[in-house]
Amino acid sequence: MAALLVIGVIRAQGAVQAPALAAMEEKFEQGLTLTFEAAGEKDVRNARLIALYVPAGEAPTPFLKGGAFKATWTGNLVSRSRDTIAFSAAGRGVLKISMNDQPALEVSGEDLTGKVGAMVPVKKGKNKLVVEYSSLASGAAEVRVFWKSDSFAAEPVPPMVFNHDVSDVALRTAERVRAGRTLFGELRCVKCHDGKGAMPELGIDAPSLAEVGSRLNEGYMAEWIGNPKSLRPQARMPRVLHGEEDAKDVAAYLATQGKPMGAKTAGDDAAVAAGTRLFTGLGCIACHTAPDAEKADPTRLPLNIVRAKWQGGALVAYLKQPEKAYVWTRMPNFRLSDAEAGQLAAYLLAKSPAGKATAGGGDAKRGEMLFTSAGCMNCHGGAGVNQAKAPALLDLMQMDWMKGCMAKDDAGRGKAPDFGLDDEQRGQLLAFAATGGKSLGADNAIEVAERQFAAANCSACHMRDNQGDNWSDLRDEIAQIEAGLPAAPDTGEKYAPDQSRPPLTWVGEKLREEWMEKFIGGKVGYKPRPYIYARMPGFASRAALIAPGFAEEHGYAPVSEPIAKPVADLVPIGQRLVGKTGGFSCNTCHSIGDVAALAAFEAPAPNFAHVSERLRYDYYARWVRNPQRVERGTRMPTFERPDGTTPVKDVLGGDGTKQFDAIWNYLLQGKGVQPPQ
């Protein structure tokens, strides 16, 4: 991501000192240590994959300059048994791989493909792995590393086989700085301490308070303003005011912004039941505890404040368009219908405790003065003139960071906001401040995507690598919530018993960046997996940040190659191969355009009309050969035999590679694809 000017970058480092790292014993976790070197400086971070793409002239990390660089992955390749493997690569640059201190591959140039390293022995357990890559003097840096053995074909080395020592001091030091940098952005520090940069989080907004009096109850606002973490322990909103009366006065002022809608009663039993199924079936439960949950869960946001918070139809409007008053909200848009939004609201209101009565007696005029002078408007849009002042970023970096917002107590904090920081977070912010803040002027798409992956809580619904998703662990809780509900009405839709969402291990290799961005942003008008009841919600503010980084993390450019035109002679062959007569019977499970699947097992699979706009060829090619190797447990059968042939012997000599290539050319027709005769 191109560097931008940071307003007020520190003039000289050393004004802030990072605390010493606590001692840590050797500890191995999944991943590799990735060290970058550029222009005489180093940076270190965790890496999932031995793959990388850095556009020409850009920096491989926010902490280094753009241009030529060296990247070194170190750690272990962990094997369950003895084996022999060979490495190969794709991309451009200079690459050297060693395992157990023995050379495994050396290749260089504008095209790294074509050379396969010698077969090297792999012992059971840990095998020391070092991968060194240097970019060329000009152009993009691009590398992807593959392995193969006698038992499987060449494939990207899966992240599940790596581990590294996370106690490494250089790694821990750099990761703490990154955590502080992320926190600096998420806490909206530059909203008060004027500064700009390339880091996307610096532009995070806060909920607009225009017309807020028509949305939120006054009593809730008073309690939230007084102490946000008392209502939501994970809140980023600081405690700005330091007295109950001040909070009541500001709430009284905000209550005048818009015409109150009044209270809303819960819907009937049928609406509540339908809303309950939406809460569990759409995955709300993966990020939120139920509104009547008896126990808190630090990994999920509570909903026991819904009735106390929302007025009238405002909750329904919010569920339909969460981003309307808050662009960067972490709540995605599920594209709910009017009926669905009403049903979900009915469930939330029926099960949420009543909360405190609406506050009264606050001085709205005094509240307006506090609102405009306390810094609220630095983050929140709304009526009024902002009168708050705070040191600019330049001055901030030269000040005592143990006072003000960073102080541990009210005495040291003074009139500064209280973010409820713990010692670990203070250490992270101090470590970042000690670097001088220069990294705010640049960013890297891979790191941006990883931060947004965490911010959007993607792992709540999707597994990745060896990490399971949160939703799948809540089966017992879901059963308890749904206990006693009447039978769901028959909508005619056919859903599979297994409602697992697709894993994200290979998503950057799998999906074309442009389609991925549209899909994450909620702009794809169909469900790729019609057999899943849930739907992928839209993250409008994050899609353009996640998709390019996922592609670059897997070693691909952030802009996909144009979709190729099909080879005319191969199209009819592919058309025959997907059929039941003389083919693989793909159309038994897969719909093709408007023609439904003939006899889908459990439920229809993805429609063939959408394959070419969604998938990269690289992923398709290895998926179709051995689906179980790519995604264990998939219903997709394996057609290619170990010798490279398939059961269809009378087409292209039974050669699996040629047959699957013919099918790909058939699929390249996209929406114009025709079913077999």
Side-chain angles (χ1 to χ4, degrees), residues 271-404:
V272 171
T276 305
R277 295 190 185 280
L278 288 169
F279 179 78
T280 57
L282 292 183
C284 309
I285 193 170
C287 291
H288 297 279
T289 50
D292 56 350
E294 297 180 357
K295 295 182 179 180
D297 181 346
T299 68
R300 292 183 285 165
L301 300 178
L303 290 176
N304 57 349
I305 57 175
V306 168
R307 196 193 308 183
K309 178 177 180 178
W310 291 97
Q311 289 188 40
L315 176 58
V316 174
Y318 171 75
L319 292 172
K320 287 197 65 179
Q321 194 176 2
E323 71 281 2
K324 182 176 182 180
Y326 182 13
V327 174
W328 275 83
T329 180
R330 298 190 184 199
M331 170 73 174
N333 189 326
F334 280 89
R335 301 180 297 282
L336 300 172
S337 66
D338 290 342
E340 288 174 329
Q343 291 162 350
L344 186 53
Y347 162 70
L348 296 173
L349 292 169
K351 300 298 182 179
S352 177
K356 295 183 178 180
T358 302
D363 185 338
K365 188 172 182 179
R366 180 173 180 272
E368 181 179 11
M369 181 272 294
L370 289 169
F371 179 76
T372 57
S373 64
C376 306
M377 297 185 66
N378 288 327
C379 293
H380 295 280
V385 178
N386 188 14
Q387 299 175 2
K389 299 293 182 182
L393 184 60
L394 172 65
D395 297 323
L396 177 68
M397 288 294 184
Q398 306 292 336
M399 297 173 66
D400 182 356
W401 273 51
M402 293 313 295
K403 294 181 179 179

Side-chain angles (χ1 to χ4, degrees), residues 3 208 211 227 241 274 305 393 449 476 507 579 599 625 651 658 675:
S208 171
E211 303 293 320
N227 187 3
L241 304 174
I305 57 175
L393 184 60
D476 291 344
V507 64
R625 282 184 169 81
V651 178
K658 293 180 179 179

Side-chain angles (χ1 to χ4, degrees), residues 439-496:
S439 62
L440 298 178
D443 222 321
N444 172 266
I446 297 172
E447 296 194 32
V448 170
E450 283 298 302
R451 296 197 304 269
Q452 295 306 313
F453 180 91
N457 202 18
C458 302
S459 60
C461 297
H462 297 273
M463 67 175 295
R464 182 170 71 160
D465 304 344
N466 282 331
Q467 179 184 358
D469 63 278
N470 194 37
W471 192 355
S472 296
D473 293 333
L474 300 173
R475 293 185 180 90
D476 291 344
E477 186 175 328
I478 291 172
Q480 184 177 2
I481 291 173
E482 294 181 347
L485 291 180
D490 184 4
T491 62
E493 298 289 339
K494 189 175 182 181
Y495 300 113

Side-chain angles (χ1 to χ4, degrees), residues 533-591:
Y533 175 80
R535 67 192 69 153
M536 173 70 183
F539 295 85
S541 65
R542 305 179 193 274
L545 302 176
I546 293 176
F550 278 178
E552 291 186 17
E553 182 185 36
H554 287 261
Y556 291 93
V559 178
S560 304
E561 293 289 332
I563 298 175
K565 293 183 179 180
V567 177
D569 292 346
L570 293 178
V571 169
I573 300 175
Q575 184 178 27
R576 173 188 169 181
L577 286 168
V578 302
K580 294 188 68 174
T581 303
F584 298 115
S585 297
C586 306
N587 59 338
T588 298
C589 295
H590 292 272
S591 297

Side-chain angles (χ1 to χ4, degrees), residues 219-257:
Y220 164 82
M221 289 192 286
E223 190 172 357
W224 173 262
I225 294 167
N227 187 3
K229 287 187 180 294
S230 69
L231 295 176
R232 181 183 294 173
Q234 306 92 336
R236 293 300 196 201
M237 164 88 174
R239 180 171 62 91
V240 178
L241 304 174
H242 302 282
E244 184 177 346
E245 291 303 314
D246 288 351
K248 288 178 62 177
D249 290 346
V250 172
Y253 164 67
L254 293 177
T256 68
Q257 304 301 300

